[in-house]
Amino acid sequence: MSTNNRFGRTIHFIRALFPLQLIFGHLKYNLLAVCYWLILFLIVSDAFGSKFGLPYLFYSPEYQGEISWLSFFLMGFSIGGFTMAFNMYSYMKLSTKYKFLATLSRPFVKFCWNNSLIPITFSAFYIYHFSEFQYVEEFATNQQVLSYVFAYLIGVLLFIFISILYFFRRNTDLFKISGTLKPDQLIDEPIGSLFHKKISWTDLFRYESDRSYIYMSGVNSWKKSRSVKHYDKSILEKVFYNNRINASLFELVTILTFIILGLFRELPIFELPAGMSIVLLLSIVLMLFSILSSWLKYWTYPAIFVAILGMNFLSEKSSYFQYESYAYGLDYQAKNLEKFNLDNIHRKADDPRLIDQSKTNMLAILNTWKKKTGKKRPKLVIVMSSGGGSRSALWTFSVLQQANKRLNDKLNDHIQLITGASGGMIGASYYRSLLLEKKLGKSIDLSDPMYRANIAKDLLNKLSFSAYSNDLFVRFQTLKIGTNYYTKDRGYAFEQHLHQNTAQVMNKPLNYFTKYEQEATIPTMIFSPTIVNDGRRLLISSQSLAFLSHASGPSKLTNSYENIDFQTFFAKANVDSLRFSSVMRMSATFPFVLPMISMPTVPKMQLMDAGLRDNYGGKVTMEYLYELQDWIKKNTSGVVILQIRDTKKLLNGEALNQVSLFDKFTLPFGNMLNNFTRTQDFDLDELMKIGFESFAFPVDIVSFNLREAKMDRISLSWHLTKQEKLKISNALRSEGNQASMRELELLFGFK
């Protein structure tokens, strides 16, 4: 045999390998399923979602508060589920392209064997990355990493084994349908026969159904397919049809099982790793596509498109498909719904009686606060804390804890206002609640590291499990508060997880803090979630803030009424019973992670993260100082703004990059997204410059920055790894933050 002919036969042999041909088949006919795998590969390679910590959810899955072999077993079980979803969807899309499959015993099982190249590659890729991460970032031992690897593999194989057991019994093949053919009548040709057959280069370009393939028949068994031209096409189609129905039934049962598990999502055993929930969500979506493709075939995408348009139309015309997330405790009865329109906003904002009452109340709080400081002209401290998920919550708590310790417990008495966004406000709320408990006589040491550990605990697992087991389909569980019923969703799961982590210390209604703020036992807090409908802000506090929302000064005729006072606008909605955790969630509703909160109005007012408008609380601070400047001038020695930021304004090592070709296509939208927080900084700097020059009292800003260098990385997420917690703990030791601490000491007369 000549060298050229041998080479040609070798190429033809490789071309005939069925596992390899399935890869090309996926790229030609099944690109959607490949894209799902691509998402997982990108996440695991740290190329997708790194800013939000998605890779860490896979590298370091946490179950019941710790990383263990069990958490990796659960990850493996979910990957096994996704693998089988991929196999079933692929079988429905590709099986008819390879008609020889119908002549095999247990065709679906053998299809899975040959379709395992991508799943095996992913598992190897994933094991490499999570092992490296566990060694370097989580300080795991060799024994621990080995146990993680074995647990992961057992999890993968267990789900596949359960699935294969089902298909061994339910799998339809040609022998079962024909009744006349027997397996021994379909003996495949030996693989070696391919080398003795005359080869034509045109064979390489035949349609999939006309080729001969070398397929994996078992673990150590390879065979060559036979021609199927002499079989009745209707019988072959019936084999594929029956197996598609069996696969659809398995997928339907699997999806229903996940939904039923949602009934028990509040049990600790179902606090599944967030990475597992992401994989299961992808599996469910892929299974749904698979079921629809099996039933509707080429009409699948048109049907989905029409269904989406129909749902959108019904949601605009009625309450159908309006999946609302509630602020727990508010009254949503129709008789108490407020009209959300400009006339009602203006009328409530400009009520002079409410404005006077609100300002008088705040001045009384300030006078009580001043008296309790024991100084004739005390420093008034305002805390501005930025958003940023769990990293900001832990960072804010750590800064307040350490700053108060450095000032010999004097800082707490001087903090009069706390404002900001998202995670920063959650950390500040926890600190304030502990401070209140201490002042009420509880044995609490605010410098105890236990409290930092509490606020740093995972908040993503319950939320993620609820997202796919409940929110994706039907929200069928309810919660009763007083006489009102509310549906439970991932927002509820988030609140419950937060209370669990913090020993229920914040599990109070909003009005619980009213008296203590008025007595200046604790600082006043102002939350400012963004109103999605028109971009305004809802100012929420246990005190009325009407004096911050009215039209005043020379701009009265052109006032846009940007701020809506919660206490004034929703006076009929049982505001005293609103859960404080719902207020924190309103301010921390990052898009898609937590659901938008609907308020009791017509049309529904929708709230999202305060960081969309004011990530650092600067606007609220400036409005507060402007309205109360006369009192501040007469009664204080100046204002100290304690700015607690998760990212420094100008990062060390930051450089301006050339605008690429791709950037030009995405401008200006990419520019708006990438420079979102920077733009807020520019606006805030300008606002503060103008304001401070006009105030007749000194204002000092002391900034504490978590992320100081461009290369620093702590994910924007509700989950922190062990290494990230350590970075946050060490951040206060940086040169810049130590300088800020010394500056704060000087402002209060220390050193």
Side-chain angles (χ1 to χ4, degrees), residues 23-58:
I23 299 295
F24 293 114
H26 287 307
L27 295 175
K28 289 173 67 176
Y29 307 112
N30 194 27
L31 199 57
L32 176 66
V34 174
C35 287
Y36 280 82
W37 279 112
L38 181 61
I39 290 171
L40 291 178
F41 271 103
L42 289 174
I43 291 174
V44 171
S45 66
D46 204 18
F48 177 75
S50 57
K51 180 179 179 182
F52 304 106
L54 286 184
Y56 292 166
L57 302 180
F58 286 73

Side-chain angles (χ1 to χ4, degrees), residues 279-298:
V279 176
L280 289 178
L281 178 60
L282 291 176
S283 302
I284 289 173
V285 174
L286 192 55
M287 285 181 181
L288 286 172
F289 266 104
S290 179
I291 294 170
L292 292 174
S293 297
S294 176
W295 295 345
L296 302 177
K297 294 187 177 180
Y298 297 110

Side-chain angles (χ1 to χ4, degrees), residues 449-561:
M450 172 184 70
Y451 301 120
R452 289 202 305 273
N454 287 345
I455 199 64
K457 289 179 180 177
D458 173 82
L459 283 170
L460 204 55
N461 285 355
K462 277 189 176 180
L463 184 159
S464 302
F465 182 67
S466 179
Y468 82 80
S469 66
N470 181 67
D471 294 16
L472 187 63
F473 299 101
V474 180
R475 301 172 186 185
F476 39 73
Q477 288 184 308
T478 59
L479 167 72
K480 184 181 180 182
I481 300 178
T483 58
N484 295 297
Y485 288 87
Y486 310 88
T487 54
K488 293 181 180 180
D489 56 13
R490 64 187 186 277
Y492 172 79
F494 176 83
E495 292 186 31
Q496 292 302 100
H497 208 167
L498 178 62
H499 291 319
Q500 177 185 319
N501 290 351
T502 55
Q504 308 295 323
V505 73
M506 294 185 287
N507 193 3
K508 307 283 195 305
L510 179 64
N511 76 328
Y512 174 80
F513 300 100
T514 305
K515 178 180 70 170
Y516 299 114
E517 287 184 359
Q518 290 173 347
E519 294 173 353
T521 305
I522 54 174
T524 300
M525 293 192 78
I526 299 178
F527 296 82
S528 54
T530 304
I531 301 173
V532 176
N533 308 60
D534 59 5
R536 300 176 198 273
R537 296 182 304 155
L538 183 66
L539 300 187
I540 305 176
S541 173
S542 61
Q543 312 298 324
S544 170
L545 300 174
F547 74 99
L548 293 180
S549 61
H550 71 113
S552 62
S555 63
K556 186 170 183 178
L557 295 177
T558 58
N559 192 287
S560 60
Y561 296 87

Side-chain angles (χ1 to χ4, degrees), residues 152-259:
Y152 168 77
L153 292 175
I154 291 170
V156 172
L157 295 174
L158 179 61
F159 194 100
I160 294 175
F161 177 73
I162 293 170
S163 306
I164 295 298
L165 280 181
Y166 168 83
F167 286 106
F168 260 116
R169 293 192 309 105
R170 304 285 300 177
N171 220 192
T172 300
D173 54 38
L174 193 63
F175 319 127
K176 293 180 181 178
I177 289 179
S178 67
T180 57
L181 294 170
K182 296 180 180 179
D184 57 5
Q185 291 179 278
L186 298 172
I187 298 173
D188 296 308
E189 299 178 40
I191 296 174
S193 65
L194 190 65
F195 285 101
H196 301 291
K197 182 180 177 182
K198 187 175 180 180
I199 300 299
S200 169
W201 285 103
T202 58
D203 291 342
L204 299 176
F205 302 98
R206 290 181 180 179
Y207 287 110
E208 286 87 351
S209 58
D210 298 330
R211 298 178 192 159
S212 293
Y213 294 99
I214 299 169
Y215 66 92
M216 182 186 290
S217 181
V219 179
N220 293 312
S221 175
W222 291 82
K223 293 183 179 179
K224 178 178 172 292
S225 67
R226 292 169 56 92
S227 173
V228 296
K229 291 181 179 179
H230 56 289
Y231 295 118
D232 188 336
K233 289 185 178 179
S234 64
I235 295 179
L236 297 178
E237 285 296 328
K238 192 172 182 180
V239 173
F240 293 128
Y241 173 78
N242 286 352
N243 284 324
R244 285 198 294 267
I245 293 298
N246 289 332
S248 296
L249 290 174
F250 181 84
E251 291 170 324
L252 196 57
V253 169
T254 303
I255 292 171
L256 289 174
T257 301
F258 288 143
I259 295 173

Side-chain angles (χ1 to χ4, degrees), residues 371-391:
K371 184 178 180 180
K372 284 200 169 184
T373 64
K375 295 190 176 183
K376 186 177 180 180
R377 295 176 66 86
K379 289 283 186 184
L380 188 150
V381 177
I382 298 176
V383 175
M384 289 169 39
S385 179
S386 75
S390 287
R391 70 184 185 194

Side-chain angles (χ1 to χ4, degrees), residues 395 399 406 645 648 652 703-709 712 726-742:
W395 177 237
V399 170
R406 287 280 289 265
R645 302 172 57 97
K648 191 177 179 181
N652 302 332
S703 293
F704 291 90
N705 300 291
L706 173 58
R707 182 172 172 243
E708 296 186 326
D712 288 346
L726 186 61
K727 286 181 181 178
I728 295 171
S729 178
N730 292 333
L732 274 170
R733 301 174 187 172
S734 74
E735 184 178 339
N737 288 325
Q738 283 299 304
S740 295
M741 200 66 79
R742 290 191 293 271

